[in-house]
Amino acid sequence: MGTKRSPEARADELRRLIRRHDKHYYVENAPEIADFEYDQLLAELTVLEKKHPELATPDSPTARVAGVPLEGFTTVRHAVPMLSLDNTYSADELREFDARVKKQLAVGSVAYTVELKLDGVSVSLIYENGLLVRGATRGDGERGDDVTDNIRTIRSVPLRLTGKKLPGTLEVRGEVFMSRSGFATLNERRVRDGAPAFVNPRNAAAGSLKLLDPKEAEKRPLDALFYQVINAFELGIATQTEAVATMVKMGLRAAPHLASCDCIEDAIDVCLSRQERRRELDYDIDGMVVKVDLLEMQLQLGATGKSPRWGIAFKFPAESATTVVRDIVVQVGRTGRLTPVALLEPVFVSGSTVSRATLHNQDEIDRLDIRIGDTVMIEKGGEVIPKIVKVVKSKRTGRPRRFRMPEECPSCGGPASRSDGEVDLRCESVSCPAQLKRRLEHFSSRGAMDIEGLGKALVEQLVDEGLVSDYGDLYSLARDEVAALERMGERSADNLLSALDGSKERPFDRVLYALGIRHVGSRVASALAGGFPSMAVLAAAGAEDLAAIDEVGPVIAASVESFLGAERNMEVVKKLRMAGVRMEVLRRVSRGGPLEGVGFVLTGKLSGMTRPEAAEAIEAAGGRVSSAVSSRTDYVVAGAEPGSKERKAKGLGVTIIDEEELRRLLAN
Ligand code: IVH
């Protein structure tokens, strides 16, 4: 139907439809169509705008992610300063607030709104004629950073407001945050990719909002809620309740669970009952906000230096407990990161028993002056991971032992070092058993090679007994050496060997993910396998070729290049290949190709094609591509600025050909 219409009309219609579904899905949490149908609409619009670039508009749903990373943020001035609220911690303090308000206004009763106090990062958005034109952080209250490009990536933030009568200018303020579930998924992904986990959703939201590359920000599960209309008077809005309703009407996600109360006692009830149920929400709140409802009154009350007199925060107490630090140990992660962890006398706090708490690094230990034997206070704030907030010094008895991060890896004794600009210590040793264990656990895990029966305990034994020192060794384990391990036996050994055998059939992208290359999570691995369909093709790629893939930025590209460039890694890859693990997307039927059995090595910059393209063409013709020159190499294809491989080829007397010659061989 729509295809008969002019492209312009169809584009308009599609945008309207997509915006409507965005609102249903992201703002109202009530989708009306299936994801598939939505994707189709978006795809149709994308194609239409590609074909008719003159039809593209800045508020198009296709324009959420800006193309280029920023060098830095521009500073913007807030027309109205962004203040903060005073805190209270009890019902009585709220009553005192109410008394102050009434006294200053000289009235007998005041109506209030009660809202959730979201634990995120405050932002200001400006819409002009309904279009989002600026998003800024609070900064020092007077000036903040222009983070418009990142704000645009948040799906629940409309790029265009809805409604007939839109204000010329609208400034709203609210909070950018991350849901608990979004945070958990993000952290899982980061840990898998060898990146440090965020401490809590607020830090994750703050860090994500400050990313210079909107493409990265888009991958972070950010969300936003709004609680204030700055130019409400201009728009004829009389109360905070109305302001929230107006924002909702215009398509903004505004102050959910807003309660309008006639008096402070009602407001107190709302605060206390929400405190009991704070965990029911999928995002962290650190309290409630009580505001005078009538904006006229707000204006009259004004502000002290840094906070308004018309509103106050009712902060929830963080749930805490005291316990004793039994010991501090150092954990070695998959990427060699050393993390101090406090082992605690088990204690029950808000729903679970806590017996460990991460101490992050030496700086944190020094800051809190934590010593072994100390009584400490631990807190579970909004976040799920408990943290030590302070030492109860009055309970310090005897001689508590100070702790220093070791200069050696506790597992292998290798040197621990700190790279530039990083606070974390890392063990750099390639043969560190603790790292090896973590890596093997990852290799065997569900999303990777999925080897049933090869869990933490067995990995521990295999490494400690010296049976396995890299992934490749797994596939040459002998039945009787496995059966001889503690708690094993012949049945279990057979099961393990058959699980290992089965894992050889895992698709190439899972193999890539299993290798545990830093920053290569399962998503990046599939993207890589999509662009480079075999290990040889991938190894032929330079950082530039890699970065041409959508999901791959410069950091990932460099990490992949360095991993595949390291000889010891390629040796392990070779072992895996020999064992029958898949090193290509699909086993190609290359029998009878013109280059069957001919071995190639690519070096230098080719002009008519990239190295991965050349590698793919060679493999498609039946040839073999490897990364190192050996006696099995028939040709070295040398492009511009060839490296040491050309020299080695000369030494071994291998034929060196140029790109032209390669084309001729391929054409034969
Ligand atoms: S009203 C004068 N309402 O809490 C500032 N703030 O210190 C008026 N916050 O910076 C803010 N939820 O980032 C308001 N429903 C809510 C809020 C809220 C969270 C944050 C905001 C502000 C801080 C108060």
Side-chain angles (χ1 to χ4, degrees), residues 83-85 115-118 122 175 227-228 289 291 308:
L83 305 178
S84 55
L85 295 165
E115 300 163 22
L116 304 178
K117 186 169 187 305
L118 299 152
S122 46
E175 206 85 350
Y227 47 68
Q228 204 180 9
V289 179
K291 296 176 186 173

Side-chain angles (χ1 to χ4, degrees), residues 1-17 40-41 44-45 48 55:
M1 211 180 92
T3 44
K4 269 190 237 129
R5 240 170 277 166
S6 75
E8 188 173 5
R10 180 60 180 161
D12 264 357
E13 180 180 18
L14 285 168
R15 282 187 203 124
R16 235 176 318 113
L17 281 169
Q40 297 238 301
L41 294 175
E44 188 186 342
L45 181 60
L48 205 58
L55 294 183

Side-chain angles (χ1 to χ4, degrees), residues 81-87 115-123 138 173-175 226-228 240 255 286 288-289 291 306-308 310 313:
M82 291 180 80
L83 305 178
S84 55
L85 295 165
D86 281 339
N87 293 328
E115 300 163 22
L116 304 178
K117 186 169 187 305
L118 299 152
D119 198 7
V121 189
S122 46
V123 291
R138 176 174 187 276
R173 292 190 182 162
E175 206 85 350
F226 298 89
Y227 47 68
Q228 204 180 9
Q240 167 68 2
D286 57 347
M288 303 297 283
V289 179
K291 296 176 186 173
K306 61 177 236 331
S307 36
W310 46 257

